[in-house]
Amino acid sequence: AGANGLVCGPSWSTVASGEHLRKPSAIAAISSNDIWVVGSTKDTAHAIRTGAEHWNGSSWSVSSTPDVGTGLNMLNGVDASGSKNVWAVGYSKSSPRSKTLIERWNGTQWRVVTSPNAGTSGDNVLTSVDALSGTNAWAVGSSRTSTSRKSLIQRWNGTSWTIVSSPNPGTLGNSLLGVEDAGPNDIWAVGWKNSGNGLRSLLLHYDGTGWTEEAAVPNVGTGDNVLTGISAVSNNDVWATGYYVDGTQYKTLTLHYNGKGWRHVPSPNGAGRTSLLRGIAAFSKTNAWAVG
């Protein structure tokens, strides 16, 4: 409310959910009456299982999601190109290894879709998905062995998911946490790399032929830099968010791409020692939202 007591505009309010999700992880809005949230819940034996809830414009309802095996199942990311093409990604773990988990909503039910894993002796986890159409989608994450962690990128061609070769510039580890498209031949993936000098921002780009690293990416502060979210308005207006460490403080990290290169754009921080950004949604050159 303003100084005169009049309401200045709309406000946020709490909306009752299906109270099903123990840990909501990601949200995808197809329209104002078609929204999905995915994450994890617990079954009667207290095992962590996949979970999803759907908004129909007036209320949230629980949507049944399948699980693989009897161990841990988790959904980390969700995206949709339409009401009958919704993808959710994460991992399942039947001791001792984690394997990729991909599920698809076809307008009627969720089904597990077979997804590959890098190697047979390590952990594979998917963190984010980008659905362009029924025949084109991307998922990113990482694969890890006892000695290394590598970026993991998979693509849906309308028939199956396959692993696509991706750069791993960090000699001690690489991980991807977000993916977004500015067009079918203009895809961005973000995360971190480590070559022994701490974590550094990792930005990968797909140009229709293959994935390459964006080498000229600014890193700020005195310590780690990590990118967790990305959103594209167009091929010359892309935002990436995350955090960086400066001394003993964690600060918000915001990078912008103008079609020629990436630059650091200062963003505000909270009053405490830790301020992190987890996700971003950009709509135009003058309208973007970041949360954390």
Side-chain angles (χ1 to χ4, degrees):
N4 57 2
L6 297 176
V7 175
C8 296
S11 62
W12 288 94
S13 61
T14 300
V15 179
S17 71
E19 298 183 357
H20 171 66
L21 294 177
R22 169 180 172 269
K23 182 182 178 182
S25 299
I27 186 169
I30 302 163
S31 67
S32 60
N33 59 3
D34 192 359
I35 301 172
W36 287 96
V37 173
V38 302
S40 66
T41 184
K42 284 187 177 181
D43 63 15
T44 55
H46 301 288
I48 298 175
R49 316 296 273 171
T50 61
E53 295 188 16
H54 182 255
W55 172 260
N56 63 5
S58 59
S59 63
W60 288 94
S61 61
V62 174
S63 182
S64 177
T65 53
D67 296 288
V68 177
T70 58
L72 183 152
N73 282 250
M74 175 82 73
L75 295 176
N76 295 321
V78 63
D79 195 33
S81 66
S83 59
K84 297 182 179 181
N85 186 52
V86 186
W87 290 99
V89 301
Y91 67 95
S92 63
K93 185 173 184 178
S94 296
S95 184
R97 301 301 182 191
S98 299
K99 295 183 178 181
T100 60
L101 176 61
I102 299 181
E103 301 186 8
R104 188 183 195 182
W105 172 262
N106 60 10
T108 304
Q109 63 181 335
W110 286 96
R111 289 183 176 178
V112 173
V113 179
T114 300
S115 56
N117 291 274
T120 58
S121 61
D123 293 313
N124 287 254
V125 174
L126 295 174
T127 54
S128 183
V129 62
D130 180 32
L132 288 82
S133 69
T135 59
N136 191 8
W138 293 89
V140 303
S142 64
S143 62
R144 183 178 62 179
T145 65
S146 59
T147 58
S148 67
R149 183 193 292 267
K150 294 184 178 180
S151 63
L152 177 62
I153 299 180
Q154 301 189 10
R155 186 177 191 180
W156 171 257
N157 61 8
T159 303
S160 62
W161 286 92
T162 57
I163 294 176
V164 178
S165 178
S166 58
N168 283 280
T171 57
L172 298 183
N174 302 263
S175 183
L176 295 174
L177 303 175
V179 61
E180 169 81 333
D181 73 273
N185 295 318
D186 193 359
I187 318 291
W188 292 95
V190 299
W192 57 262
K193 61 181 179 179
N194 185 359
S195 294
N197 57 344
L199 305 184
R200 293 292 180 263
S201 295
L202 177 60
L203 268 159
L204 304 183
H205 183 250
Y206 176 77
D207 62 0
T209 302
W211 288 89
T212 56
E213 181 194 8
E214 288 286 298
V217 177
N219 285 275
V220 296
T222 59
D224 292 346
N225 282 240
V226 174
L227 295 175
T228 58
I230 186 162
S231 183
V233 178
S234 65
N235 60 0
N236 61 5
D237 189 3
V238 185
W239 289 93
T241 55
Y243 67 89
Y244 70 94
V245 179
D246 195 18
T248 60
Q249 289 190 315
Y250 285 72
K251 297 183 177 181
T252 62
L253 176 60
T254 311
L255 304 181
H256 184 254
Y257 179 75
N258 63 2
K260 298 180 180 180
W262 289 88
R263 68 183 180 92
H264 173 230
V265 179
S267 49
N269 295 275
R273 288 179 55 190
T274 302
S275 294
L276 314 173
L277 291 176
R278 297 296 189 187
I280 184 168
F283 303 97
S284 70
K285 289 185 178 297
T286 59
N287 189 10
W289 291 84
V291 299

